[in-house]
Amino acid sequence: MSMHLSILGRVDTIAPPLPISLMGGAVRAGFPSPADDYVEAELDLVAHLIQHPSATYFVRAKGSSMVEDGIFDNDLLIVDRSITPRPGHIVIMCVDGDLTCKRLSTIGDRPYLTASNPSFKPIPLNGHDCQTWGVVTHNIHALAPGFST
């Protein structure tokens, strides 16, 4: 399977919101614009990222099988158990007792789990003991050197 996961915990549904300043305007990834440098509102990241708190948990990705989908070793994944998985979703699934993170796919008319790294073969689901543990809704990873998620 090659993508190992560490379950970190669930969303604390009774924790008070922790608002963070949200800058007004858009941040350009091209040429900078000094005109948009004001705080517009406050943003609660939990409310922004998690639609179903009681059905959501966090998991840490381990491995390189999903790198072309932007999921890297040690990334923090937000997983929602209330979403019905469909082909194309990135899912957390237990296959024959091993947890993995892969894209739910169909090849022909059969269900598979596929990696986004071409070094890994698709995993057929027929004939295996499979349980879906949820759909990955967000991925959080550090961009600055020395920071970790």
PDB file of all heavy atoms in Angstrom, residues 66 69 85-91 93 101-116 121-126 132:
ATOM      1  N   MET A  66       0.960   9.496  -2.900  1.00  0.00           N
ATOM      2  CA  MET A  66      -0.031  10.492  -3.334  1.00  0.00           C
ATOM      3  C   MET A  66       0.600  11.856  -3.656  1.00  0.00           C
ATOM      4  O   MET A  66      -0.086  12.872  -3.682  1.00  0.00           O
ATOM      5  CB  MET A  66      -1.111  10.644  -2.264  1.00  0.00           C
ATOM      6  CG  MET A  66      -1.918   9.377  -2.019  1.00  0.00           C
ATOM      7  SD  MET A  66      -2.762   8.773  -3.482  1.00  0.00           S
ATOM      8  CE  MET A  66      -4.054  10.000  -3.655  1.00  0.00           C
ATOM      9  N   ASP A  69      -0.869  14.352  -6.143  1.00  0.00           N
ATOM     10  CA  ASP A  69      -2.089  15.023  -5.689  1.00  0.00           C
ATOM     11  C   ASP A  69      -1.764  16.042  -4.603  1.00  0.00           C
ATOM     12  O   ASP A  69      -2.668  16.594  -3.975  1.00  0.00           O
ATOM     13  CB  ASP A  69      -3.109  14.006  -5.162  1.00  0.00           C
ATOM     14  CG  ASP A  69      -3.942  13.410  -6.277  1.00  0.00           C
ATOM     15  OD1 ASP A  69      -4.399  14.162  -7.150  1.00  0.00           O
ATOM     16  OD2 ASP A  69      -4.129  12.179  -6.281  1.00  0.00           O
ATOM     17  N   PRO A  85     -18.375   8.233  -0.424  1.00  0.00           N
ATOM     18  CA  PRO A  85     -17.271   8.255  -1.400  1.00  0.00           C
ATOM     19  C   PRO A  85     -17.748   7.905  -2.802  1.00  0.00           C
ATOM     20  O   PRO A  85     -18.582   7.022  -2.986  1.00  0.00           O
ATOM     21  CB  PRO A  85     -16.298   7.217  -0.863  1.00  0.00           C
ATOM     22  CG  PRO A  85     -17.055   6.382   0.083  1.00  0.00           C
ATOM     23  CD  PRO A  85     -18.233   7.166   0.556  1.00  0.00           C
ATOM     24  N   ARG A  86     -17.209   8.653  -3.767  1.00  0.00           N
ATOM     25  CA  ARG A  86     -17.498   8.416  -5.180  1.00  0.00           C
ATOM     26  C   ARG A  86     -16.177   8.321  -5.927  1.00  0.00           C
ATOM     27  O   ARG A  86     -15.153   8.847  -5.461  1.00  0.00           O
ATOM     28  CB  ARG A  86     -18.315   9.582  -5.747  1.00  0.00           C
ATOM     29  CG  ARG A  86     -19.675   9.746  -5.134  1.00  0.00           C
ATOM     30  CD  ARG A  86     -20.503  10.807  -5.869  1.00  0.00           C
ATOM     31  NE  ARG A  86     -19.761  11.989  -6.243  1.00  0.00           N
ATOM     32  CZ  ARG A  86     -19.818  13.165  -5.623  1.00  0.00           C
ATOM     33  NH1 ARG A  86     -20.616  13.312  -4.576  1.00  0.00           N
ATOM     34  NH2 ARG A  86     -19.121  14.191  -6.032  1.00  0.00           N
ATOM     35  N   PRO A  87     -16.182   7.700  -7.095  1.00  0.00           N
ATOM     36  CA  PRO A  87     -14.953   7.682  -7.892  1.00  0.00           C
ATOM     37  C   PRO A  87     -14.423   9.094  -8.099  1.00  0.00           C
ATOM     38  O   PRO A  87     -15.179  10.025  -8.366  1.00  0.00           O
ATOM     39  CB  PRO A  87     -15.401   7.042  -9.214  1.00  0.00           C
ATOM     40  CG  PRO A  87     -16.538   6.153  -8.811  1.00  0.00           C
ATOM     41  CD  PRO A  87     -17.258   6.926  -7.727  1.00  0.00           C
ATOM     42  N   GLY A  88     -13.143   9.243  -7.912  1.00  0.00           N
ATOM     43  CA  GLY A  88     -12.497  10.548  -7.990  1.00  0.00           C
ATOM     44  C   GLY A  88     -12.148  11.121  -6.632  1.00  0.00           C
ATOM     45  O   GLY A  88     -11.244  11.944  -6.518  1.00  0.00           O
ATOM     46  N   HIS A  89     -12.865  10.704  -5.579  1.00  0.00           N
ATOM     47  CA  HIS A  89     -12.548  11.173  -4.230  1.00  0.00           C
ATOM     48  C   HIS A  89     -11.266  10.520  -3.728  1.00  0.00           C
ATOM     49  O   HIS A  89     -10.994   9.353  -4.018  1.00  0.00           O
ATOM     50  CB  HIS A  89     -13.663  10.803  -3.248  1.00  0.00           C
ATOM     51  CG  HIS A  89     -14.859  11.683  -3.324  1.00  0.00           C
ATOM     52  ND1 HIS A  89     -16.089  11.287  -2.857  1.00  0.00           N
ATOM     53  CD2 HIS A  89     -15.037  12.942  -3.784  1.00  0.00           C
ATOM     54  CE1 HIS A  89     -16.962  12.262  -3.027  1.00  0.00           C
ATOM     55  NE2 HIS A  89     -16.348  13.268  -3.599  1.00  0.00           N
ATOM     56  N   ILE A  90     -10.513  11.272  -2.949  1.00  0.00           N
ATOM     57  CA  ILE A  90      -9.390  10.692  -2.210  1.00  0.00           C
ATOM     58  C   ILE A  90      -9.975  10.209  -0.901  1.00  0.00           C
ATOM     59  O   ILE A  90     -10.663  10.962  -0.204  1.00  0.00           O
ATOM     60  CB  ILE A  90      -8.266  11.719  -2.001  1.00  0.00           C
ATOM     61  CG1 ILE A  90      -7.671  12.106  -3.358  1.00  0.00           C
ATOM     62  CG2 ILE A  90      -7.192  11.156  -1.074  1.00  0.00           C
ATOM     63  CD1 ILE A  90      -6.639  13.201  -3.310  1.00  0.00           C
ATOM     64  N   VAL A  91      -9.730   8.940  -0.588  1.00  0.00           N
ATOM     65  CA  VAL A  91     -10.357   8.311   0.567  1.00  0.00           C
ATOM     66  C   VAL A  91      -9.319   7.723   1.506  1.00  0.00           C
ATOM     67  O   VAL A  91      -8.187   7.446   1.114  1.00  0.00           O
ATOM     68  CB  VAL A  91     -11.349   7.198   0.136  1.00  0.00           C
ATOM     69  CG1 VAL A  91     -12.488   7.774  -0.682  1.00  0.00           C
ATOM     70  CG2 VAL A  91     -10.642   6.093  -0.629  1.00  0.00           C
ATOM     71  N   MET A  93      -9.063   4.316   3.465  1.00  0.00           N
ATOM     72  CA  MET A  93      -9.717   3.018   3.411  1.00  0.00           C
ATOM     73  C   MET A  93      -8.850   1.989   4.124  1.00  0.00           C
ATOM     74  O   MET A  93      -7.616   2.054   4.072  1.00  0.00           O
ATOM     75  CB  MET A  93      -9.965   2.599   1.958  1.00  0.00           C
ATOM     76  CG  MET A  93     -10.833   1.360   1.835  1.00  0.00           C
ATOM     77  SD  MET A  93     -11.374   1.063   0.140  1.00  0.00           S
ATOM     78  CE  MET A  93     -12.770   2.170   0.035  1.00  0.00           C
ATOM     79  N   CYS A 101      -4.335   5.756   2.077  1.00  0.00           N
ATOM     80  CA  CYS A 101      -4.931   6.937   1.472  1.00  0.00           C
ATOM     81  C   CYS A 101      -4.692   6.834  -0.024  1.00  0.00           C
ATOM     82  O   CYS A 101      -3.539   6.810  -0.467  1.00  0.00           O
ATOM     83  CB  CYS A 101      -4.269   8.197   2.038  1.00  0.00           C
ATOM     84  SG  CYS A 101      -4.823   9.724   1.249  1.00  0.00           S
ATOM     85  N   LYS A 102      -5.773   6.756  -0.799  1.00  0.00           N
ATOM     86  CA  LYS A 102      -5.685   6.629  -2.253  1.00  0.00           C
ATOM     87  C   LYS A 102      -6.924   7.260  -2.878  1.00  0.00           C
ATOM     88  O   LYS A 102      -7.901   7.567  -2.212  1.00  0.00           O
ATOM     89  CB  LYS A 102      -5.616   5.157  -2.697  1.00  0.00           C
ATOM     90  CG  LYS A 102      -4.443   4.359  -2.166  1.00  0.00           C
ATOM     91  CD  LYS A 102      -3.168   4.685  -2.886  1.00  0.00           C
ATOM     92  CE  LYS A 102      -2.030   3.789  -2.458  1.00  0.00           C
ATOM     93  NZ  LYS A 102      -1.472   4.072  -1.161  1.00  0.00           N
ATOM     94  N   ARG A 103      -6.890   7.375  -4.204  1.00  0.00           N
ATOM     95  CA  ARG A 103      -8.054   7.869  -4.947  1.00  0.00           C
ATOM     96  C   ARG A 103      -8.944   6.690  -5.298  1.00  0.00           C
ATOM     97  O   ARG A 103      -8.475   5.678  -5.806  1.00  0.00           O
ATOM     98  CB  ARG A 103      -7.603   8.588  -6.212  1.00  0.00           C
ATOM     99  CG  ARG A 103      -8.753   9.267  -6.938  1.00  0.00           C
ATOM    100  CD  ARG A 103      -8.269  10.137  -8.074  1.00  0.00           C
ATOM    101  NE  ARG A 103      -7.419  11.233  -7.633  1.00  0.00           N
ATOM    102  CZ  ARG A 103      -7.852  12.383  -7.115  1.00  0.00           C
ATOM    103  NH1 ARG A 103      -9.147  12.582  -6.954  1.00  0.00           N
ATOM    104  NH2 ARG A 103      -7.004  13.321  -6.761  1.00  0.00           N
ATOM    105  N   LEU A 104     -10.243   6.821  -5.011  1.00  0.00           N
ATOM    106  CA  LEU A 104     -11.210   5.798  -5.380  1.00  0.00           C
ATOM    107  C   LEU A 104     -11.451   5.918  -6.878  1.00  0.00           C
ATOM    108  O   LEU A 104     -11.765   6.991  -7.386  1.00  0.00           O
ATOM    109  CB  LEU A 104     -12.506   5.991  -4.598  1.00  0.00           C
ATOM    110  CG  LEU A 104     -13.595   4.949  -4.808  1.00  0.00           C
ATOM    111  CD1 LEU A 104     -13.111   3.559  -4.410  1.00  0.00           C
ATOM    112  CD2 LEU A 104     -14.833   5.326  -4.004  1.00  0.00           C
ATOM    113  N   SER A 105     -11.264   4.814  -7.591  1.00  0.00           N
ATOM    114  CA  SER A 105     -11.354   4.821  -9.050  1.00  0.00           C
ATOM    115  C   SER A 105     -12.109   3.599  -9.537  1.00  0.00           C
ATOM    116  O   SER A 105     -12.338   2.653  -8.780  1.00  0.00           O
ATOM    117  CB  SER A 105      -9.948   4.787  -9.668  1.00  0.00           C
ATOM    118  OG  SER A 105      -9.163   5.844  -9.214  1.00  0.00           O
ATOM    119  N   THR A 106     -12.475   3.631 -10.796  1.00  0.00           N
ATOM    120  CA  THR A 106     -12.991   2.434 -11.450  1.00  0.00           C
ATOM    121  C   THR A 106     -12.127   2.201 -12.680  1.00  0.00           C
ATOM    122  O   THR A 106     -11.778   3.142 -13.405  1.00  0.00           O
ATOM    123  CB  THR A 106     -14.465   2.558 -11.865  1.00  0.00           C
ATOM    124  OG1 THR A 106     -14.630   3.730 -12.647  1.00  0.00           O
ATOM    125  CG2 THR A 106     -15.378   2.625 -10.663  1.00  0.00           C
ATOM    126  N   ILE A 107     -11.759   0.955 -12.871  1.00  0.00           N
ATOM    127  CA  ILE A 107     -11.036   0.543 -14.067  1.00  0.00           C
ATOM    128  C   ILE A 107     -11.925  -0.511 -14.708  1.00  0.00           C
ATOM    129  O   ILE A 107     -12.179  -1.554 -14.109  1.00  0.00           O
ATOM    130  CB  ILE A 107      -9.627   0.008 -13.738  1.00  0.00           C
ATOM    131  CG1 ILE A 107      -8.804   1.106 -13.052  1.00  0.00           C
ATOM    132  CG2 ILE A 107      -8.942  -0.486 -15.006  1.00  0.00           C
ATOM    133  CD1 ILE A 107      -7.437   0.667 -12.559  1.00  0.00           C
ATOM    134  N   GLY A 108     -12.423  -0.189 -15.898  1.00  0.00           N
ATOM    135  CA  GLY A 108     -13.483  -1.014 -16.467  1.00  0.00           C
ATOM    136  C   GLY A 108     -14.722  -0.781 -15.634  1.00  0.00           C
ATOM    137  O   GLY A 108     -15.148   0.345 -15.446  1.00  0.00           O
ATOM    138  N   ASP A 109     -15.261  -1.836 -15.068  1.00  0.00           N
ATOM    139  CA  ASP A 109     -16.421  -1.680 -14.183  1.00  0.00           C
ATOM    140  C   ASP A 109     -16.088  -2.115 -12.754  1.00  0.00           C
ATOM    141  O   ASP A 109     -16.981  -2.354 -11.963  1.00  0.00           O
ATOM    142  CB  ASP A 109     -17.618  -2.461 -14.729  1.00  0.00           C
ATOM    143  CG  ASP A 109     -17.346  -3.960 -14.840  1.00  0.00           C
ATOM    144  OD1 ASP A 109     -16.171  -4.365 -14.688  1.00  0.00           O
ATOM    145  OD2 ASP A 109     -18.301  -4.714 -15.075  1.00  0.00           O
ATOM    146  N   ARG A 110     -14.808  -2.212 -12.432  1.00  0.00           N
ATOM    147  CA  ARG A 110     -14.385  -2.676 -11.108  1.00  0.00           C
ATOM    148  C   ARG A 110     -13.780  -1.537 -10.281  1.00  0.00           C
ATOM    149  O   ARG A 110     -13.064  -0.691 -10.818  1.00  0.00           O
ATOM    150  CB  ARG A 110     -13.373  -3.804 -11.252  1.00  0.00           C
ATOM    151  CG  ARG A 110     -13.987  -5.025 -11.882  1.00  0.00           C
ATOM    152  CD  ARG A 110     -13.051  -6.193 -11.768  1.00  0.00           C
ATOM    153  NE  ARG A 110     -13.729  -7.386 -12.255  1.00  0.00           N
ATOM    154  CZ  ARG A 110     -13.155  -8.284 -13.013  1.00  0.00           C
ATOM    155  NH1 ARG A 110     -11.899  -8.144 -13.366  1.00  0.00           N
ATOM    156  NH2 ARG A 110     -13.832  -9.333 -13.398  1.00  0.00           N
ATOM    157  N   PRO A 111     -14.041  -1.556  -8.973  1.00  0.00           N
ATOM    158  CA  PRO A 111     -13.480  -0.506  -8.103  1.00  0.00           C
ATOM    159  C   PRO A 111     -12.012  -0.778  -7.763  1.00  0.00           C
ATOM    160  O   PRO A 111     -11.614  -1.919  -7.521  1.00  0.00           O
ATOM    161  CB  PRO A 111     -14.361  -0.584  -6.856  1.00  0.00           C
ATOM    162  CG  PRO A 111     -14.826  -2.004  -6.809  1.00  0.00           C
ATOM    163  CD  PRO A 111     -14.949  -2.452  -8.242  1.00  0.00           C
ATOM    164  N   TYR A 112     -11.242   0.296  -7.751  1.00  0.00           N
ATOM    165  CA  TYR A 112      -9.818   0.237  -7.413  1.00  0.00           C
ATOM    166  C   TYR A 112      -9.470   1.420  -6.529  1.00  0.00           C
ATOM    167  O   TYR A 112     -10.163   2.441  -6.537  1.00  0.00           O
ATOM    168  CB  TYR A 112      -8.951   0.338  -8.672  1.00  0.00           C
ATOM    169  CG  TYR A 112      -8.828  -0.930  -9.472  1.00  0.00           C
ATOM    170  CD1 TYR A 112      -9.843  -1.339 -10.323  1.00  0.00           C
ATOM    171  CD2 TYR A 112      -7.687  -1.715  -9.374  1.00  0.00           C
ATOM    172  CE1 TYR A 112      -9.726  -2.494 -11.077  1.00  0.00           C
ATOM    173  CE2 TYR A 112      -7.563  -2.877 -10.124  1.00  0.00           C
ATOM    174  CZ  TYR A 112      -8.575  -3.262 -10.974  1.00  0.00           C
ATOM    175  OH  TYR A 112      -8.458  -4.408 -11.706  1.00  0.00           O
ATOM    176  N   LEU A 113      -8.361   1.301  -5.842  1.00  0.00           N
ATOM    177  CA  LEU A 113      -7.710   2.436  -5.206  1.00  0.00           C
ATOM    178  C   LEU A 113      -6.466   2.720  -6.034  1.00  0.00           C
ATOM    179  O   LEU A 113      -5.686   1.811  -6.316  1.00  0.00           O
ATOM    180  CB  LEU A 113      -7.319   2.125  -3.758  1.00  0.00           C
ATOM    181  CG  LEU A 113      -8.466   1.937  -2.780  1.00  0.00           C
ATOM    182  CD1 LEU A 113      -7.910   1.608  -1.399  1.00  0.00           C
ATOM    183  CD2 LEU A 113      -9.343   3.178  -2.721  1.00  0.00           C
ATOM    184  N   THR A 114      -6.301   3.987  -6.440  1.00  0.00           N
ATOM    185  CA  THR A 114      -5.146   4.320  -7.256  1.00  0.00           C
ATOM    186  C   THR A 114      -4.308   5.384  -6.576  1.00  0.00           C
ATOM    187  O   THR A 114      -4.821   6.315  -5.958  1.00  0.00           O
ATOM    188  CB  THR A 114      -5.571   4.811  -8.658  1.00  0.00           C
ATOM    189  OG1 THR A 114      -6.462   5.917  -8.517  1.00  0.00           O
ATOM    190  CG2 THR A 114      -6.256   3.711  -9.445  1.00  0.00           C
ATOM    191  N   ALA A 115      -3.004   5.221  -6.702  1.00  0.00           N
ATOM    192  CA  ALA A 115      -2.052   6.197  -6.196  1.00  0.00           C
ATOM    193  C   ALA A 115      -1.867   7.278  -7.252  1.00  0.00           C
ATOM    194  O   ALA A 115      -2.143   7.067  -8.431  1.00  0.00           O
ATOM    195  CB  ALA A 115      -0.723   5.512  -5.892  1.00  0.00           C
ATOM    196  N   SER A 116      -1.379   8.431  -6.836  1.00  0.00           N
ATOM    197  CA  SER A 116      -1.077   9.478  -7.810  1.00  0.00           C
ATOM    198  C   SER A 116       0.400   9.470  -8.174  1.00  0.00           C
ATOM    199  O   SER A 116       0.844  10.284  -8.956  1.00  0.00           O
ATOM    200  CB  SER A 116      -1.495  10.845  -7.280  1.00  0.00           C
ATOM    201  OG  SER A 116      -0.727  11.205  -6.159  1.00  0.00           O
ATOM    202  N   LYS A 121       1.176   0.542  -8.109  1.00  0.00           N
ATOM    203  CA  LYS A 121       0.124  -0.107  -8.894  1.00  0.00           C
ATOM    204  C   LYS A 121      -1.246   0.119  -8.258  1.00  0.00           C
ATOM    205  O   LYS A 121      -1.359   0.241  -7.041  1.00  0.00           O
ATOM    206  CB  LYS A 121       0.379  -1.611  -8.966  1.00  0.00           C
ATOM    207  CG  LYS A 121       1.608  -1.985  -9.733  1.00  0.00           C
ATOM    208  CD  LYS A 121       1.774  -3.490  -9.760  1.00  0.00           C
ATOM    209  CE  LYS A 121       3.034  -3.873 -10.510  1.00  0.00           C
ATOM    210  NZ  LYS A 121       3.236  -5.319 -10.519  1.00  0.00           N
ATOM    211  N   PRO A 122      -2.311   0.135  -9.085  1.00  0.00           N
ATOM    212  CA  PRO A 122      -3.671   0.214  -8.538  1.00  0.00           C
ATOM    213  C   PRO A 122      -3.974  -1.001  -7.660  1.00  0.00           C
ATOM    214  O   PRO A 122      -3.460  -2.095  -7.890  1.00  0.00           O
ATOM    215  CB  PRO A 122      -4.559   0.209  -9.785  1.00  0.00           C
ATOM    216  CG  PRO A 122      -3.675   0.653 -10.899  1.00  0.00           C
ATOM    217  CD  PRO A 122      -2.299   0.159 -10.546  1.00  0.00           C
ATOM    218  N   ILE A 123      -4.798  -0.786  -6.660  1.00  0.00           N
ATOM    219  CA  ILE A 123      -5.193  -1.847  -5.730  1.00  0.00           C
ATOM    220  C   ILE A 123      -6.636  -2.231  -6.038  1.00  0.00           C
ATOM    221  O   ILE A 123      -7.541  -1.410  -5.843  1.00  0.00           O
ATOM    222  CB  ILE A 123      -5.077  -1.367  -4.268  1.00  0.00           C
ATOM    223  CG1 ILE A 123      -3.655  -0.921  -3.961  1.00  0.00           C
ATOM    224  CG2 ILE A 123      -5.556  -2.441  -3.306  1.00  0.00           C
ATOM    225  CD1 ILE A 123      -3.527  -0.122  -2.681  1.00  0.00           C
ATOM    226  N   PRO A 124      -6.867  -3.459  -6.528  1.00  0.00           N
ATOM    227  CA  PRO A 124      -8.255  -3.867  -6.778  1.00  0.00           C
ATOM    228  C   PRO A 124      -8.976  -4.079  -5.456  1.00  0.00           C
ATOM    229  O   PRO A 124      -8.397  -4.594  -4.495  1.00  0.00           O
ATOM    230  CB  PRO A 124      -8.105  -5.176  -7.549  1.00  0.00           C
ATOM    231  CG  PRO A 124      -6.761  -5.693  -7.165  1.00  0.00           C
ATOM    232  CD  PRO A 124      -5.903  -4.502  -6.844  1.00  0.00           C
ATOM    233  N   LEU A 125     -10.239  -3.674  -5.392  1.00  0.00           N
ATOM    234  CA  LEU A 125     -10.998  -3.834  -4.149  1.00  0.00           C
ATOM    235  C   LEU A 125     -11.801  -5.130  -4.124  1.00  0.00           C
ATOM    236  O   LEU A 125     -12.086  -5.645  -3.045  1.00  0.00           O
ATOM    237  CB  LEU A 125     -11.907  -2.626  -3.924  1.00  0.00           C
ATOM    238  CG  LEU A 125     -11.174  -1.298  -3.745  1.00  0.00           C
ATOM    239  CD1 LEU A 125     -12.159  -0.166  -3.500  1.00  0.00           C
ATOM    240  CD2 LEU A 125     -10.151  -1.382  -2.628  1.00  0.00           C
ATOM    241  N   ASN A 126     -12.163  -5.648  -5.275  1.00  0.00           N
ATOM    242  CA  ASN A 126     -12.905  -6.916  -5.312  1.00  0.00           C
ATOM    243  C   ASN A 126     -12.036  -8.025  -4.730  1.00  0.00           C
ATOM    244  O   ASN A 126     -10.854  -8.135  -5.038  1.00  0.00           O
ATOM    245  CB  ASN A 126     -13.306  -7.273  -6.749  1.00  0.00           C
ATOM    246  CG  ASN A 126     -14.425  -6.386  -7.263  1.00  0.00           C
ATOM    247  OD1 ASN A 126     -15.040  -5.644  -6.500  1.00  0.00           O
ATOM    248  ND2 ASN A 126     -14.685  -6.461  -8.550  1.00  0.00           N
ATOM    249  N   THR A 132     -14.404   1.769   4.164  1.00  0.00           N
ATOM    250  CA  THR A 132     -14.085   3.171   3.943  1.00  0.00           C
ATOM    251  C   THR A 132     -14.140   3.902   5.272  1.00  0.00           C
ATOM    252  O   THR A 132     -15.122   3.796   6.003  1.00  0.00           O
ATOM    253  CB  THR A 132     -15.079   3.799   2.946  1.00  0.00           C
ATOM    254  OG1 THR A 132     -15.040   3.047   1.735  1.00  0.00           O
ATOM    255  CG2 THR A 132     -14.719   5.241   2.665  1.00  0.00           C
TER     256      THR A 132
END
